[in-house]
Amino acid sequence: MTTYIIRRCLMAIPLLFLISVISFGIMKMAPGDPTALMMDPMIKQENLEAYKESYGLNDSIVVQYGRWLGNMVQGNFGESFIRQGVPVSELITARLPNTLLLMLVSTFIAFIISIPLGVWSATKRNSLQDYAITVVSFLGVATPNFWIGLVLIMVLSVHLGWFPIGGVATYGEPFSIWDRLHHLVLPAFVLATADMAGLTRYSRSSMLDVLRQDYIRTAKANGFRQKTVIFKHGLRNALIPIITIFGLMLPSFIGGSVIIESVFAWPGIGLLFMEAAFQRDYPVIMAVVVIAATLVVIGNLLADILYAVFDPRIEY
Amino acid sequence: MNAVLEVSNLKTYFKKNKKTIRAVDGIDFEIGKGETVALVGESGCGKSMTSLSIMGLVPAPAGKVVDGSIKLNGVDLVQMPEKKMYDIRGKEVAMIFQEPMTSLNPVLTIGDQLTGVIMHHLKVNKKTATEKAAEMLGIVGFSDPLKTLKDYPHRLSGGMRQRVMIAMAMSCNPKLLIADEPTTALDVTIQAQVLELMKDLSKKFSTSILLITHDLGVVSELAERVIVMYAGQIVEISDVDDLFEEPLHPYTEGLIHSIPAIEGEITRLQSIKGNVPAPGTVLPGCKFAPRCSKAFARCTEEVPGMYVREDGRCVRCFLYDGEVVE
């Protein structure tokens, strides 16, 4: 197991390298550069050139990438172009915990709602409840979650005033867990909706598949009650394919957090990324990309470890 | 003979696209204490549905026992509420299945699965259940039961898994064991071992066995009496020796002639021409008539009843009309 984890971590290095090369290329292909936003539009051409020269923006893309990579492997993400003098690592450490909290809670919400719904749907197959869950799921798949976010803000926050409109905490108030949770509920729920619908459908079909298996018939023939059959003999088998979905969900959560963090003004790395992308703040963009890619790699590794935990047939 | 199981006029129907399929169409038989009875027939003749009807596991809502009774020691299982059936299944009537490879839960250890059943039915604690499970594994031939209890099913071979299934089925000392093609998925040498084991256990615990199979070799090995089913009905009931020596029903005769003989001249193997009637078809006469080489006019016009001969053998065929006793 340990050697497997070490091997997987080593394999992640070339993967992350490739991701950084591709992202750097795409980023550079986008029109404009940081100076376009930072400078007075009336600035003289030679002064602009001098600025560009000082940031190294006139060097070839290979040289620029090499310089970034050289610094990065030493743990130095450089300084933000736009917020002058602020190290990127400082921006990241201030915001990453917010994003991780949001993602963790979202994942939890998605699983705690979807799996029971899917299982329930499967055991009541072709009933009214099953159809209702199916219809809601398809609606959920078809609805973009930023729209759900906006609607919920309008109804629950603006009209009813039940939840704050955005942010992580009430400005100027002392820290309180209750206040934090109050701010967390809406964005976490909305981020979770992105995968809840799909996850419900997957749990349903996975459970249906398991209920057709011979060992379920054996359990019934042994006189176990429906509940025991489903939860003791069925559920653990049904969860094995769901782990795959967990691995696949993580990237979509990171992508989704970019949108949801802007909708809810949630100061996480998603919002940071969005701002950096608009301002062509190259060092910040690259730092977020590397961190997001690392999170995805870790998520997939976690999924593979979970397989071994849930399925005794899998050993590493 | 005091019967452990009495099935009378059992009818299990399926509804599919508003068509009624008579999977089991009025069958009567009984099984005595410690007796092994084989239920034989082609695929789709209703033998598996008969066993599921006894277990109360007919797939609902499409399938349903619509008529008749299944009496286990005099108590009708058809009328029994589902809640009480939980205490019957696995305790009074146990079942082993065709596919040992997939009949055990892959994520639970052998021990978990065995002790689960034992604790459920015998209401004992984990420690006693583990002892009982180890004892059962020893009886079915595991040399190191305590180690096997900790193993997962994927570590065992097909024959081993079928032994585990037998241990599980016998662990609560059932009155009736239903074995649905228990050896079909096993290779021949393992088949013989498993059959031998079932024979020993049925003697040891005086358990009655209902053996469901299409393999006449298995029948001659294990059964004392044979019930031949065709298209949802019983066509013949005979003692096993009589059946092989002198099959009464033309269908039984066909079945026996389609086994290659080891001795004697090598001739072309006979088969029964045609196919089982498609489920749902209703014939005015005998259901076997279209495939029967001995069919005559009456066979396609009238439905034959069950004729009981003087020697006690039952057959559903007009050829025996003259010999009818009842």
Side-chain angles (χ1 to χ4, degrees):
Chain A
M1 187 73 149
T2 323
T3 42
Y4 173 78
I5 294 172
I6 293 170
R7 206 171 61 223
R8 282 288 301 266
C9 290
L10 290 177
M11 271 158 57
I13 293 172
L15 184 69
L16 290 175
F17 170 73
L18 264 176
I19 291 171
S20 75
V21 169
I22 294 167
S23 328
F24 201 86
I26 293 173
M27 182 179 77
K28 283 289 177 187
M29 271 193 277
D33 62 40
T35 56
L37 265 162
M38 289 156 70
M39 301 300 148
D40 184 347
M42 311 302 272
I43 195 170
K44 277 195 187 121
Q45 191 60 34
E46 57 260 40
N47 290 350
L48 184 66
E49 283 306 312
Y51 268 115
K52 282 194 177 179
E53 194 62 40
S54 71
Y55 282 119
L57 292 172
N58 283 339
D59 297 333
S60 79
I61 184 166
V62 180
V63 172
Q64 289 188 45
Y65 177 76
R67 193 161 51 219
W68 174 82
L69 186 67
N71 286 329
M72 204 273 292
V73 292
Q74 297 169 44
N76 178 11
F77 283 110
E79 287 180 2
S80 167
F81 282 164
I82 307 292
R83 302 162 211 244
Q84 293 206 342
V86 181
V88 174
S89 52
E90 213 171 85
L91 287 171
I92 299 282
T93 44
R95 288 164 170 243
L96 189 59
N98 287 336
T99 297
L100 288 180
L101 178 71
L102 184 64
M103 274 172 35
L104 222 68
V105 174
S106 278
T107 315
F108 183 72
I109 293 176
F111 276 84
I112 211 78
I113 293 180
S114 302
I115 292 176
L117 268 187
V119 169
W120 193 49
S121 202
T123 54
K124 307 257 178 212
R125 195 185 181 190
N126 296 337
S127 67
L128 201 64
Q129 298 99 305
D130 181 24
Y131 290 136
I133 291 170
T134 303
V135 169
V136 173
S137 298
F138 280 125
L139 278 179
V141 171
T143 317
N145 61 352
F146 69 85
W147 183 82
I148 297 178
L150 291 172
V151 169
L152 288 185
I153 289 177
M154 205 171 81
V155 177
L156 298 182
S157 306
V158 177
H159 289 305
L160 296 170
W162 291 354
F163 294 100
I165 288 168
V168 274
T170 312
Y171 195 70
E173 296 266 311
F175 176 85
S176 90
I177 292 193
W178 173 245
D179 183 50
R180 285 297 179 105
L181 279 177
H182 197 204
H183 281 78
L184 184 60
V185 174
L186 267 193
F189 176 76
V190 172
L191 184 55
T193 55
D195 284 296
M196 249 155 55
L199 201 56
T200 307
R201 299 294 299 160
Y202 280 120
S203 320
R204 177 182 181 272
S205 66
S206 176
M207 195 69 201
L208 277 180
D209 197 46
V210 165
L211 289 179
R212 271 195 292 271
Q213 297 295 316
D214 289 345
Y215 52 81
I216 294 297
R217 188 184 55 186
T218 305
K220 284 185 189 160
N222 278 328
F224 290 115
R225 271 144 245 263
Q226 176 84 345
K227 251 188 213 152
T228 319
V229 171
I230 289 171
F231 290 105
K232 190 182 169 202
H233 297 263
L235 190 60
R236 209 171 135 193
N237 284 291
L239 283 179
I240 295 167
I242 300 296
I243 296 168
T244 318
I245 311 299
F246 167 75
L248 295 174
M249 258 170 66
L250 215 78
S252 84
F253 267 169
I254 293 172
S257 74
V258 173
I259 313 282
I260 296 307
E261 286 180 9
S262 4
V263 170
F264 287 92
W266 187 264
I269 57 167
L271 189 58
L272 181 68
F273 180 79
M274 185 98 142
E275 291 162 4
F278 283 138
Q279 297 163 344
R280 307 283 185 273
D281 197 345
Y282 296 151
V284 177
I285 295 176
M286 285 311 289
V288 175
V289 165
V290 169
I291 285 165
T294 311
L295 284 180
V296 171
V297 169
I298 291 173
N300 280 317
L301 180 60
L302 207 63
D304 283 346
I305 292 170
L306 280 178
Y307 276 132
V309 173
F310 275 90
D311 192 344
R313 286 165 294 185
I314 296 174
E315 280 167 39
Y316 296 121
Chain B
M1 183 172 63
N2 52 340
V4 169
L5 184 80
E6 286 172 87
V7 175
S8 52
N9 195 30
L10 178 69
K11 290 182 179 171
T12 305
Y13 290 179
F14 273 79
K15 283 224 160 60
K16 200 178 173 190
N17 303 331
K18 291 182 182 162
K19 249 171 80 180
T20 302
I21 294 162
R22 302 174 170 206
V24 179
D25 198 8
I27 62 170
D28 303 82
F29 66 91
E30 44 180 63
I31 300 177
K33 191 168 166 59
E35 193 188 22
T36 299
V37 174
L39 191 57
V40 186
E42 283 167 284
S43 312
C45 70
K47 51 192 197 302
S48 285
M49 271 312 137
T50 306
S51 66
L52 290 180
S53 303
I54 298 169
M55 294 297 282
L57 287 176
V58 176
K64 197 172 183 274
V65 175
V66 292
D67 197 10
S69 67
I70 300 166
K71 284 190 177 144
L72 185 75
N73 286 333
V75 183
D76 191 358
L77 301 182
V78 176
Q79 304 300 329
M80 191 166 278
E82 178 70 8
K83 271 201 175 141
K84 285 198 170 169
M85 281 306 287
Y86 291 134
D87 295 329
I88 301 286
R89 287 183 206 129
K91 181 157 194 293
E92 309 291 324
V93 188
M95 193 160 176
I96 53 178
F97 299 96
Q98 183 173 1
E99 281 298 334
M101 299 308 277
T102 52
S103 290
L104 288 165
N105 196 323
V107 301
L108 298 176
T109 60
I110 303 293
D112 281 339
Q113 302 188 49
L114 276 171
T115 53
V117 178
I118 294 167
M119 286 192 291
H120 175 59
H121 287 303
L122 302 183
K123 318 279 181 236
V124 293
N125 61 17
K126 179 98 187 165
K127 195 170 158 280
T128 321
T130 309
E131 280 164 14
K132 174 81 181 164
E135 185 200 327
M136 287 311 297
L137 285 182
I139 290 173
V140 297
F142 282 91
S143 54
D144 191 354
L146 291 175
K147 190 181 151 286
T148 309
L149 282 176
K150 291 192 191 93
D151 263 339
Y152 285 97
H154 69 275
R155 295 192 171 262
L156 305 182
S157 66
M160 291 290 195
R161 289 188 212 185
Q162 197 61 299
R163 281 169 193 273
V164 172
M165 286 299 289
I166 292 172
M168 195 191 284
M170 298 300 290
S171 61
C172 299
N173 204 356
K175 300 193 174 64
L176 174 68
L177 175 68
I178 301 175
D180 191 351
E181 314 230 6
T183 55
T184 310
L186 304 175
D187 66 55
V188 186
T189 48
I190 308 296
Q191 268 187 22
Q193 291 175 10
V194 168
L195 290 176
E196 200 58 40
L197 176 66
M198 285 175 59
K199 224 184 211 172
D200 288 350
L201 288 180
S202 107
K203 249 190 219 134
K204 192 168 178 178
F205 295 99
S206 62
T207 307
S208 311
I209 298 180
L210 177 62
L211 176 72
I212 292 167
T213 183
H214 56 242
D215 184 343
L216 290 171
V218 172
V219 171
S220 64
E221 190 76 29
L222 204 60
E224 291 149 31
R225 222 146 46 85
V226 185
I227 300 169
V228 183
M229 269 186 93
Y230 186 80
Q233 289 182 324
I234 292 174
V235 293
E236 179 168 355
I237 302 179
S238 290
D239 281 350
V240 66
D241 296 334
D242 295 340
L243 186 96
F244 282 99
E245 213 153 281
E246 190 209 348
L248 297 181
H249 198 280
Y251 176 63
T252 318
E253 203 178 331
L255 280 184
I256 289 171
H257 283 151
S258 56
I259 316 170
I262 293 175
E263 289 157 22
E265 228 179 305
I266 298 170
T267 50
R268 225 185 138 78
L269 202 58
Q270 285 181 32
S271 65
I272 306 173
K273 61 180 196 300
N275 279 313
V276 187
T281 44
V282 181
L283 294 171
C286 171
K287 291 186 178 183
F288 186 61
R291 301 173 70 187
C292 184
S293 54
K294 294 173 180 164
F296 47 96
R298 193 181 171 193
C299 297
T300 53
E301 290 155 7
E302 253 181 87
V303 180
M306 195 62 123
Y307 297 109
V308 183
R309 299 206 322 173
E310 259 172 67
D311 56 3
R313 299 176 67 181
C314 306
V315 60
R316 189 186 289 279
C317 182
F318 287 127
L319 290 173
Y320 302 91
D321 198 6
E323 304 177 42
V324 66
V325 176
E326 285 179 35

